[in-house]
Structures are given as C-alpha cells and as structure tokens.
Amino acid sequence: MAVLRRKPRRAPGADDPLDAAQERRVRAVLALGGVPQADLPDGVQQVRLRLLERAAKGDEAPRDVSAWAAVVASNLAMDWHRAKRRQERIGERLASLRQVEQPSDEESSVLALAVAQGLDELPDAQRQVVVLRFYADLPVREIADELGIPEGTVKSRLHTAVRALRARLHEDEVV
C-alpha cells in the first residue's frame, strides 16, 4: 500500500523575498530618507520587485538580502527626492507662465499700430515675406514656392525685416 504524502503547507507570504525584519528595515531606511509615511508601502513594494526581477533574470540572490534591500531603499529615497524636486521645478515654471501679464487692450493697440507702421517702412520684398510668414503662417518653403525665389532668400529677407522691425519698436520704446 502506497503512502500518500502531502506537500508541506507554506505559510502565507512564503514566496515573499523580504521577511518581516527586512521589511521593517526597508521602511526605516525609506522613512529616514525622507519618504512620506503614505509612500512607504510603495517603496517596500519597489524593493520586493527589484529582488524578484533580479531572481527572474537568473542573477544569484544577494549574499546579505537585508543589506542589499537597505541600499535599494536608500536609492529609492534619493529617487523620490529627485522626482519631487523635478515636480516642484515644473510647478514653478507653470506658475511663472501663469503670472506673465497679458498686455492691456491699450498696450496691444499701441503695439499693433507700431508694427503696422514698421511694416509700412519695410521694402516691398521684405514686407511680403514677413506678411506671408507671420500673418498667413506659411512655412519658408511655401513662401519660396509662392514667390518663385530660393528658400535662402526668403530666410535672408525675413531676418533683415525682423531685425529692422525690432530696432524700430525699440527706438519707439514700444517694447
């Protein structure tokens, strides 16, 4: 008669690469690294994931899992701070964009009048490319095709015209 042997039952979480003491150490390293309490579980999961990925690649397990996990947790804390700083810088840039004052209707009218006068003073060839580029919103290639001139000539005329307009607006103290 054959005796059936059952496989020993594994305790819940037996496949967990971190034991309870290692998890506490990872949490402590993350907390000491300045990671907020609410983000600690995610940090622990990241350490677990990295250990599992390492095993899945066929790399041998670290000699001291606890020390390895602490180093990974420390690196995660630094990454968390870098990401936070990056988000703060993006927020500052967005805030500064919102704070840019829009010119009043009167200032816009003065600027539009000054640009129109500056355009009137440009030679016809320069005025033509400026109007096609900035008012008709045509790319340089299409302007060249439309006028039957090389793209380099369009670019040269645009450069000269814009420089002349800019000088005129500064001279009139409009900008």
Side-chain angles (χ1 to χ4, degrees):
M1 178 161 142
V3 177
L4 295 174
R5 293 189 181 189
R6 285 201 244 179
K7 290 182 182 176
R9 284 185 134 184
R10 294 184 139 205
D15 291 332
D16 191 346
L18 295 177
D19 65 26
Q22 292 165 338
E23 182 176 331
R24 281 192 304 275
R25 185 171 185 190
V26 166
R27 282 179 174 279
V29 169
L30 290 169
L32 288 171
V35 176
Q37 191 73 28
D39 292 338
L40 293 181
D42 290 337
V44 172
Q45 287 299 91
Q46 284 293 321
V47 173
R48 277 192 180 99
L49 179 64
R50 296 213 180 144
L51 194 56
L52 290 170
E53 286 172 343
R54 184 181 169 113
K57 284 192 286 186
D59 295 346
E60 63 183 62
R63 197 169 14 145
D64 183 354
V65 174
S66 186
W68 180 89
V71 169
V72 171
S74 176
N75 290 337
L76 286 172
M78 286 188 288
D79 291 346
W80 184 87
H81 284 290
R82 284 187 197 111
K84 182 180 173 192
R85 277 195 306 271
R86 202 171 19 253
Q87 287 298 323
E88 287 170 354
R89 284 194 305 266
I90 289 170
E92 289 168 3
R93 282 190 221 137
L94 289 174
S96 70
L97 289 175
R98 284 187 213 111
Q99 292 174 357
V100 173
E101 292 181 25
Q102 296 298 324
S104 68
D105 288 340
E106 182 181 329
E107 290 171 336
S108 294
S109 298
V110 169
L111 181 60
L113 183 61
V115 169
Q117 288 173 345
L119 281 172
D120 285 342
E121 294 174 4
L122 290 176
D124 289 341
Q126 290 178 5
R127 183 179 331 105
Q128 212 173 22
V129 295
V130 167
V131 169
L132 289 173
R133 177 67 188 103
F134 297 109
Y135 290 92
D137 200 28
L138 293 178
V140 171
R141 173 173 279 146
E142 286 184 36
I143 295 169
D145 291 343
E146 186 72 32
L147 299 177
I149 58 176
E151 287 182 43
T153 303
V154 173
K155 291 176 185 178
S156 174
R157 288 179 185 173
L158 275 172
H159 175 76
T160 304
V162 167
R163 189 174 47 188
L165 280 171
R166 186 177 293 127
R168 161 74 191 229
L169 295 174
H170 282 292
E171 184 180 298
D172 291 348
E173 297 180 359
V174 176
V175 289

